[in-house]
Amino acid sequence: MEHDGSVDAARQPVDLVHRSNPKSENAELPSIANMKSPGVSKSLHEKKPSGSENPMTQSANTPSSAAKADEQWKSDTPAIEKMATLPHYIIQRNQLFDELKKKSVQDILHREHPEINVMLDLGVDKNGTPRPLMPVLAKAWESTPGSFLKHVDKDISTDVVIAKVDDRELWDLDRPLEYACRVRYVPFSSVEGRNVFWHSSAHVLGEAAECQYDCLLSHGPPTEQGFFYDMAIADNQVVKETDWKPLEGKASKFTKEKQPFERLHVSIVDLKQMFGYSKYKMYYIENLLPPQGSTVYKCGTLVDLCLGPHIQNTGKIKAFQITMNSSCYFRGDKNDDSLQRIYGVAFPDKKQFAEHKEYLKEAAKRDHRKIAKDQELFFFDELSPGCAFILPHGTIIFNALQKLLRSEYQKRGYQEVQSPNMYDAELWKKSGHWQHYKDDMFTLEVEKKRWALKPMNCPGHCLIFGHRERSYRELPLRMADFGVLHRNEASGALHGMSRVRKFQQDDTHIFCAQEQITQEIEGLFDFLKCIYGLFGFPFKLTLSTRPEKYMGEIETWDVAEGKLKEALDAFSVRGGGQWELNEGDGAFYGPKIDIYISDALKREYQCATIQLDFQLPQNFELEYMTAETASKIKPEGETSTKLDRAVSLGKSKAPGSGRARPVMIHRAIIGSFERFMAILTEHFGGKWPFWLSPRQVLVIPVMPAINDYVEEVQKLLRAQKMHADVDISGNTMLKKIRTGQLQQYNFIFVVGAQEKESRSVNIRDRDDKNTQTKGELVPLDEALQRLKALKKERRLLNTI
């Protein structure tokens, strides 16, 4: 499995690419440690690493020079005076932008502005009914999505952040439309809207940082909880907590000025002139941009290399706060420059900001790292970074998840296999991973040969399929593997169990005939509903199509994408909800359906993935015997369908008469067990459903004379494979009960002389407040039967 949401291989390293789902904060780029930038202090280019790869919050009790300088920053300083206080290279950069912008405006004015057909898609009303499309009068290179908002009801327009054209491209509200299209408005309440808003807020932070530090900006993307900006500050200066207030003051001033975000496409030659002072921007320009150049955006005194899009102006930002600062390495590599990183968050109104603060408090309570420490689930050690030590209680949860999947595998016709952990590099070259994924693999040399620990199971499963003759009667062959995987994640990207280097996943590869694709994917949708329903996770589906760097033929990709669209449409018709298109975000070997779940705090996570792959079966020349006889086989070149023609393309030898190439479906439901455990920990807040819980029952005696009955009850519970503990310590009964409550036992059995004599138990239910003072008296045999049913049925509610 290539991508499973737990460890995303497709990292976006810089602020040049805006994505609807922010990727890793630590990006991978070749070293730039030896590059120089003209006209900047030498110390900016010869800084030594700080000695820490991981973000580490820094603070100080004494005011920094930047804080003192901020006293001179008057609230009524005109823009021209502000420019005069900036370094000459920033002034020259901005002057060049103004010159090029003036030329661009003139060029647009002299173009033809033909009338174009524009339809406004206003989504659904409060009842969920689709609103009718609204036609509007428009002219190319003149009309903007923002100009149409006057035709839109206020209940829609007030929350609009950005536009989306033809459901493909996010578009600035003030950017003129260029062709006939359908325009949809994206609100802040959507993931795409928040990311654009926070991306624009990062530019405000960048502007404030340039004014405060005369720094070199690296990149400033949105994240899942806000944004950050990385920067290099002269003379090894670090950001201090005392700098936060001055930065926020500048940001507040910029938002009150309602600075417009101005977009401009610039050639490579002019980009080099504009950003020649910064080795960071120069590296992006020389290595990451297409030959035709790219866009830059200006707000206030900041001009930044960026694809955008952005909000209309900084005035849309009504609440802005610095949340943290840290040190980091450029692209997460300790061999590159040590940079300063400043985190922030912003909102379009103060009410949402207040709600966000409450959300953060709740999220902090649910942090899986904190709960794991309290409940002894797992820990990490610097001697093996990114590799969890899963403790007995955590292993109980891990095993319960595996047991669930194995039970479903048996029902659904899966076969479990085990495959090696290490392979010769030749395997990865044959599969194509070496060319596309080598930097994310742990490699080693053994007996003068190059080897690698497996980061995914798919090539090994191809070897299993191809090790003997296969018949069409064996298809679909559903191959499951819980094997250990390793991926070389940047140290700065590691985060508890959410992002690790060693993990296991519910990895499955389905080898099927072409005509079986749709039914197999429909079966996977049913599998999703079954598993996610047990945890109370709603989910949505997105189709990710061919990326810029891909393997195979375009015709093959078109056919594969068509098959997935067909299955998604069928799922929608059956009430599975609408799916979304995520163009250009497929795996390098095939398109994929990514499934996003939503937890108790409404946070979205991508765990499941379904990927259609025609490439690996070609690379490994996998074949199976068909039901056709040799006499019925059509002459070579007379393939029966477009799909047959697509699969026959490529460098591998085409199957002979009476043989066919299988199609491979990569799929995971929960993704990595480690990451899914982190999600579940925070989703449930440590209050596990009974069937998953490592602390199911705690038995407490009223007096020591009852200890023998307590131990008998524990023995009976354990005989039913339940996790039962006793507390026969010297603590008071009330303290024992309170300790059990804090440890989140699902049920506490309190027993005394009456319970022993009647062979009953007094049950306190963790989630039922009415039982906390005095529980329900239940015969012991009946209690055992109720608990057995609760566990067997894997019920979400903790009640018997």
mmCIF file of all heavy atoms in Angstrom, residues 453-471:
data_model
loop_
_atom_site.group_PDB
_atom_site.id
_atom_site.type_symbol
_atom_site.label_atom_id
_atom_site.label_comp_id
_atom_site.label_asym_id
_atom_site.label_seq_id
_atom_site.Cartn_x
_atom_site.Cartn_y
_atom_site.Cartn_z
ATOM 1 N N LEU A 453 14.293 -1.874 3.922
ATOM 2 C CA LEU A 453 13.144 -2.326 4.709
ATOM 3 C C LEU A 453 11.877 -1.927 3.965
ATOM 4 O O LEU A 453 11.803 -0.839 3.388
ATOM 5 C CB LEU A 453 13.162 -1.675 6.092
ATOM 6 C CG LEU A 453 14.334 -2.034 7.010
ATOM 7 C CD1 LEU A 453 14.225 -1.254 8.311
ATOM 8 C CD2 LEU A 453 14.366 -3.533 7.285
ATOM 9 N N LYS A 454 10.890 -2.783 3.992
ATOM 10 C CA LYS A 454 9.707 -2.495 3.183
ATOM 11 C C LYS A 454 8.876 -1.360 3.807
ATOM 12 O O LYS A 454 8.564 -1.391 4.994
ATOM 13 C CB LYS A 454 8.842 -3.741 3.001
ATOM 14 C CG LYS A 454 8.213 -4.295 4.267
ATOM 15 C CD LYS A 454 7.299 -5.479 3.945
ATOM 16 C CE LYS A 454 6.687 -6.081 5.207
ATOM 17 N NZ LYS A 454 5.835 -7.240 4.937
ATOM 18 N N PRO A 455 8.518 -0.355 2.993
ATOM 19 C CA PRO A 455 7.605 0.694 3.439
ATOM 20 C C PRO A 455 6.158 0.372 3.079
ATOM 21 O O PRO A 455 5.238 1.058 3.493
ATOM 22 C CB PRO A 455 8.095 1.921 2.669
ATOM 23 C CG PRO A 455 8.634 1.362 1.400
ATOM 24 C CD PRO A 455 9.143 -0.030 1.696
ATOM 25 N N MET A 456 5.959 -0.646 2.246
ATOM 26 C CA MET A 456 4.613 -1.095 1.865
ATOM 27 C C MET A 456 4.698 -2.560 1.430
ATOM 28 O O MET A 456 5.787 -3.077 1.179
ATOM 29 C CB MET A 456 4.036 -0.224 0.740
ATOM 30 C CG MET A 456 4.732 -0.306 -0.584
ATOM 31 S SD MET A 456 6.232 0.701 -0.690
ATOM 32 C CE MET A 456 5.571 2.330 -0.438
ATOM 33 N N ASN A 457 3.553 -3.215 1.345
ATOM 34 C CA ASN A 457 3.512 -4.660 1.082
ATOM 35 C C ASN A 457 3.287 -5.038 -0.377
ATOM 36 O O ASN A 457 3.447 -6.200 -0.749
ATOM 37 C CB ASN A 457 2.392 -5.304 1.914
ATOM 38 C CG ASN A 457 2.713 -5.335 3.396
ATOM 39 O OD1 ASN A 457 3.750 -5.838 3.811
ATOM 40 N ND2 ASN A 457 1.820 -4.776 4.208
ATOM 41 N N CYS A 458 2.893 -4.062 -1.205
ATOM 42 C CA CYS A 458 2.404 -4.424 -2.537
ATOM 43 C C CYS A 458 3.398 -5.211 -3.405
ATOM 44 O O CYS A 458 2.990 -6.193 -4.027
ATOM 45 C CB CYS A 458 1.868 -3.191 -3.270
ATOM 46 S SG CYS A 458 2.622 -1.635 -2.860
ATOM 47 N N PRO A 459 4.690 -4.833 -3.494
ATOM 48 C CA PRO A 459 5.583 -5.641 -4.339
ATOM 49 C C PRO A 459 5.713 -7.088 -3.842
ATOM 50 O O PRO A 459 5.755 -8.020 -4.651
ATOM 51 C CB PRO A 459 6.925 -4.895 -4.252
ATOM 52 C CG PRO A 459 6.555 -3.492 -3.902
ATOM 53 C CD PRO A 459 5.393 -3.632 -2.980
ATOM 54 N N GLY A 460 5.757 -7.257 -2.515
ATOM 55 C CA GLY A 460 5.836 -8.615 -1.968
ATOM 56 C C GLY A 460 4.607 -9.431 -2.302
ATOM 57 O O GLY A 460 4.700 -10.633 -2.582
ATOM 58 N N HIS A 461 3.447 -8.791 -2.304
ATOM 59 C CA HIS A 461 2.220 -9.503 -2.642
ATOM 60 C C HIS A 461 2.189 -9.871 -4.130
ATOM 61 O O HIS A 461 1.600 -10.890 -4.505
ATOM 62 C CB HIS A 461 1.006 -8.660 -2.262
ATOM 63 C CG HIS A 461 0.799 -8.578 -0.781
ATOM 64 N ND1 HIS A 461 -0.299 -7.983 -0.203
ATOM 65 C CD2 HIS A 461 1.558 -9.042 0.255
ATOM 66 C CE1 HIS A 461 -0.204 -8.071 1.113
ATOM 67 N NE2 HIS A 461 0.921 -8.703 1.416
ATOM 68 N N CYS A 462 2.825 -9.049 -4.953
ATOM 69 C CA CYS A 462 2.946 -9.416 -6.374
ATOM 70 C C CYS A 462 3.780 -10.678 -6.536
ATOM 71 O O CYS A 462 3.470 -11.544 -7.366
ATOM 72 C CB CYS A 462 3.576 -8.265 -7.155
ATOM 73 S SG CYS A 462 2.472 -6.856 -7.413
ATOM 74 N N LEU A 463 4.845 -10.796 -5.723
ATOM 75 C CA LEU A 463 5.666 -12.007 -5.780
ATOM 76 C C LEU A 463 4.859 -13.223 -5.339
ATOM 77 O O LEU A 463 4.995 -14.311 -5.897
ATOM 78 C CB LEU A 463 6.903 -11.848 -4.895
ATOM 79 C CG LEU A 463 7.946 -10.803 -5.329
ATOM 80 C CD1 LEU A 463 9.124 -10.804 -4.356
ATOM 81 C CD2 LEU A 463 8.440 -11.068 -6.745
ATOM 82 N N ILE A 464 4.017 -13.049 -4.321
ATOM 83 C CA ILE A 464 3.186 -14.164 -3.854
ATOM 84 C C ILE A 464 2.209 -14.588 -4.946
ATOM 85 O O ILE A 464 2.034 -15.782 -5.219
ATOM 86 C CB ILE A 464 2.422 -13.780 -2.566
ATOM 87 C CG1 ILE A 464 3.411 -13.587 -1.405
ATOM 88 C CG2 ILE A 464 1.388 -14.844 -2.207
ATOM 89 C CD1 ILE A 464 2.770 -13.086 -0.120
ATOM 90 N N PHE A 465 1.573 -13.603 -5.591
ATOM 91 C CA PHE A 465 0.629 -13.940 -6.662
ATOM 92 C C PHE A 465 1.346 -14.662 -7.804
ATOM 93 O O PHE A 465 0.827 -15.639 -8.364
ATOM 94 C CB PHE A 465 -0.041 -12.672 -7.193
ATOM 95 C CG PHE A 465 -1.081 -12.938 -8.246
ATOM 96 C CD1 PHE A 465 -2.410 -13.102 -7.893
ATOM 97 C CD2 PHE A 465 -0.746 -13.039 -9.601
ATOM 98 C CE1 PHE A 465 -3.384 -13.366 -8.855
ATOM 99 C CE2 PHE A 465 -1.700 -13.307 -10.564
ATOM 100 C CZ PHE A 465 -3.029 -13.465 -10.189
ATOM 101 N N GLY A 466 2.535 -14.196 -8.137
ATOM 102 C CA GLY A 466 3.222 -14.716 -9.314
ATOM 103 C C GLY A 466 4.105 -15.921 -9.078
ATOM 104 O O GLY A 466 4.738 -16.402 -10.021
ATOM 105 N N HIS A 467 4.150 -16.446 -7.844
ATOM 106 C CA HIS A 467 5.106 -17.528 -7.578
ATOM 107 C C HIS A 467 4.657 -18.862 -8.176
ATOM 108 O O HIS A 467 5.433 -19.804 -8.263
ATOM 109 C CB HIS A 467 5.355 -17.672 -6.077
ATOM 110 C CG HIS A 467 4.407 -18.575 -5.354
ATOM 111 N ND1 HIS A 467 3.115 -18.210 -5.018
ATOM 112 C CD2 HIS A 467 4.554 -19.850 -4.892
ATOM 113 C CE1 HIS A 467 2.516 -19.208 -4.390
ATOM 114 N NE2 HIS A 467 3.358 -20.219 -4.299
ATOM 115 N N ARG A 468 3.368 -18.956 -8.583
ATOM 116 C CA ARG A 468 2.889 -20.179 -9.238
ATOM 117 C C ARG A 468 1.800 -19.811 -10.242
ATOM 118 O O ARG A 468 1.339 -18.676 -10.323
ATOM 119 C CB ARG A 468 2.358 -21.175 -8.214
ATOM 120 C CG ARG A 468 1.088 -20.731 -7.483
ATOM 121 C CD ARG A 468 0.464 -21.924 -6.749
ATOM 122 N NE ARG A 468 -0.680 -21.560 -5.934
ATOM 123 C CZ ARG A 468 -1.922 -21.403 -6.398
ATOM 124 N NH1 ARG A 468 -2.167 -21.529 -7.709
ATOM 125 N NH2 ARG A 468 -2.924 -21.101 -5.576
ATOM 126 N N GLU A 469 1.387 -20.794 -10.993
ATOM 127 C CA GLU A 469 0.318 -20.600 -11.974
ATOM 128 C C GLU A 469 -0.978 -20.224 -11.270
ATOM 129 O O GLU A 469 -1.315 -20.773 -10.227
ATOM 130 C CB GLU A 469 0.110 -21.903 -12.748
ATOM 131 C CG GLU A 469 -0.776 -21.762 -13.972
ATOM 132 C CD GLU A 469 -0.069 -21.069 -15.126
ATOM 133 O OE1 GLU A 469 0.817 -21.679 -15.742
ATOM 134 O OE2 GLU A 469 -0.411 -19.897 -15.362
ATOM 135 N N ARG A 470 -1.695 -19.245 -11.846
ATOM 136 C CA ARG A 470 -2.976 -18.819 -11.278
ATOM 137 C C ARG A 470 -4.088 -19.025 -12.301
ATOM 138 O O ARG A 470 -3.888 -18.866 -13.508
ATOM 139 C CB ARG A 470 -2.940 -17.340 -10.890
ATOM 140 C CG ARG A 470 -1.923 -17.006 -9.798
ATOM 141 C CD ARG A 470 -2.378 -17.473 -8.435
ATOM 142 N NE ARG A 470 -1.395 -17.159 -7.402
ATOM 143 C CZ ARG A 470 -1.531 -17.463 -6.118
ATOM 144 N NH1 ARG A 470 -2.633 -18.097 -5.723
ATOM 145 N NH2 ARG A 470 -0.603 -17.146 -5.243
ATOM 146 N N SER A 471 -5.280 -19.354 -11.792
ATOM 147 C CA SER A 471 -6.445 -19.573 -12.649
ATOM 148 C C SER A 471 -7.499 -18.511 -12.370
ATOM 149 O O SER A 471 -7.567 -17.937 -11.280
ATOM 150 C CB SER A 471 -7.045 -20.956 -12.383
ATOM 151 O OG SER A 471 -8.351 -21.068 -12.939
#
